[in-house]
Amino acid sequence: GAVVSQHPSWVICKSGTSVKIECRSLDFQATTMFWYRQFPKQSLMLMATSNEGSKATYEQGVEKDKFLINHASLTLSTLTVTSAHPEDSSFYICSAREASDYNEQFFGPGTRLTVL
Amino acid sequence: RKEVEQDPGPFNVPEGATVAFNCTYSNSASQSFFWYRQDCRKEPKLLMSVYSSGNEDGRFTAQLNRASQYISLLIRDSKLSDSATYLCAVLAGTALIFGKGTTLSVSS
């Protein structure tokens, strides 16, 4: 099946710093990528949808100036958490979808962010 | 908004038991439905899609009831390795909306 990678797999940073997470589709072209966040014992919450070459669409309640998303190519999307705070500590997961299959999404392994 | 709801459990069952999970969704226009399995600190992995006619994959059976807006997952002959969190997901527009997940613990 299609493979999606994320980097880094975990990161610890100080409050106030910015953290960039990369999501790559390794063997297919991802026209659409999704970013989710999951707090302990909670569901995956969709943060934003990004289409290659256009601005991301953010879900209600997600600050677009805090969570910067760039989807500059068909194989790479990045999420930057700017001025991270302890409450941003979470499990961030991306998924990617090919243009040819509207239904199936392939998930990355996730990035665990801890903000001190 | 609670578009997709699941009983969080946990469901604690012995090996060999049959266990069923239900999930309700609020958007009657939803067209595609899925069950995912998520192990601790891992990404969700697609277990099976759910079709209107119901579908079976080995010990797993998924059903969709559009009239009542719920989907179900039946696991027969539970194995220790089935212990995980099971998430239902509904395709809403272009994005998947997940339930909180139901935790299953199978013991020997």
Side-chain angles (χ1 to χ4, degrees):
Chain A
V3 179
V4 175
S5 69
Q6 270 184 252
H7 177 80
S9 55
W10 59 270
V11 58
I12 301 172
C13 69
K14 291 182 179 179
S15 186
T17 60
S18 293
V19 176
K20 179 186 280 189
I21 303 170
E22 293 186 349
C23 177
R24 293 181 185 273
S25 57
L26 300 185
D27 51 3
F28 68 100
Q29 293 187 325
T31 51
T32 304
M33 287 185 168
F34 304 89
W35 286 96
Y36 295 84
R37 180 168 55 181
Q38 186 177 35
F39 293 106
K41 298 189 184 298
Q42 297 294 315
S43 178
L44 278 80
M45 296 299 296
L46 180 65
M47 299 175 68
T49 302
S50 72
N51 293 297
E52 185 265 336
S54 61
K55 288 184 179 180
T57 302
Y58 289 81
E59 292 297 301
Q60 192 173 7
V62 178
E63 300 174 57
K64 62 180 181 180
D65 294 329
K66 181 170 179 62
F67 299 97
L68 303 179
I69 292 172
N70 184 283
H71 191 167
S73 78
L74 286 171
T75 59
L76 173 65
S77 176
T78 61
L79 167 68
T80 301
V81 183
T82 62
S83 187
H85 290 283
E87 58 264 30
D88 298 322
S89 299
S90 188
F91 191 45
Y92 292 85
I93 308 175
C94 72
S95 69
R97 187 179 70 198
E98 289 183 276
S100 59
D101 189 343
Y102 194 78
N103 279 330
E104 190 161 11
Q105 293 184 24
F106 303 96
F107 284 84
T111 297
R112 192 159 299 280
L113 170 64
T114 300
V115 184
L116 303 175
Chain B
R1 62 181 179 185
K2 292 185 177 179
E3 295 192 35
V4 181
E5 293 202 55
Q6 290 181 256
D7 178 350
F11 283 59
N12 299 306
V13 303
E15 275 186 289
T18 296
V19 62
F21 307 136
N22 285 334
C23 169
T24 59
Y25 60 94
S26 60
N27 187 346
S28 60
S30 301
Q31 292 297 315
S32 300
F33 310 88
F34 309 89
W35 282 102
Y36 281 80
R37 169 189 171 132
Q38 186 176 28
D39 292 290
C40 187
R41 294 177 175 267
K42 299 285 188 181
E43 77 277 21
K45 293 191 184 294
L46 181 64
L47 184 63
M48 58 199 305
S49 302
V50 187
Y51 303 118
S52 295
S53 55
N55 46 302
E56 187 174 310
D57 183 2
R59 298 181 293 110
F60 299 85
T61 301
Q63 297 275 355
L64 166 65
N65 185 318
R66 286 191 184 274
S68 301
Q69 294 183 205
Y70 79 82
I71 62 176
S72 64
L73 176 69
L74 182 77
I75 305 175
R76 291 181 298 278
D77 189 21
S78 299
K79 311 291 184 190
L80 294 175
S81 57
D82 293 333
S83 298
T85 296
Y86 292 84
L87 305 166
C88 67
V90 175
L91 192 63
T94 60
L96 280 174
I97 306 299
F98 285 88
K100 280 190 176 182
T102 300
T103 299
L104 172 66
S105 178
V106 182
S107 56
S108 57

